[in-house]
Amino acid sequence: MSDDLPHPPWQMDWTAAALKEFQSMPADGRQLVMAARAELITVEDPYFRGIDADASLPHWITIRPPASTRPAGPHVADLAGGRGWLVFTFIRRHAEPQIVVTDAFWA
């Protein structure tokens, strides 16, 4: 990777609705979401493309596009076997790439 190209850690922003959902989660949900955030902002590709797509992730998180017809669109980070999730988009801007969380849920 060239030094002039953006690389992790990525910036992460939240829509107002997703942030409100996150803030209303119980402590165990917020803790898991923050651990998932740490994974997403430090990995080379937040969409984890490839054959062993989730091989480098902890066992409690999987990443998938919600629709196979939009592999570069929003993705879902399933947490704790579906107990919660984050919906996010990785915006690959050259100057400031960032992850935008648009939905957060914890059951």
Side-chain angles (χ1 to χ4, degrees):
M1 178 183 299
S2 173
D3 286 337
D4 62 339
L5 294 176
H7 52 81
W10 308 114
Q11 297 297 316
M12 182 178 267
D13 197 7
W14 298 69
T15 63
L19 184 58
K20 184 176 179 181
E21 287 296 324
F22 168 72
Q23 292 170 334
S24 68
M25 289 178 186
D28 61 333
R30 285 193 313 271
Q31 183 178 7
L32 201 58
V33 166
M34 291 309 290
R37 178 192 178 278
E39 293 290 332
L40 291 171
I41 67 168
T42 58
V43 73
E44 194 66 36
D45 182 354
Y47 284 170
F48 302 99
R49 292 188 182 104
I51 294 172
D52 292 324
D54 295 333
S56 65
L57 291 174
H59 70 281
W60 51 265
I61 182 174
T62 58
I63 306 295
R64 63 179 172 80
S68 61
T69 57
R70 296 189 60 205
H75 274 55
V76 176
D78 286 311
L79 309 174
R83 191 160 174 218
W85 67 75
L86 296 176
V87 177
F88 68 95
T89 300
F90 182 49
I91 302 171
R92 298 178 185 273
R93 297 181 295 213
H94 180 76
E96 294 180 18
Q98 77 176 45
I99 297 168
V100 177
V101 178
T102 57
D103 188 23
F105 173 80
W106 189 257

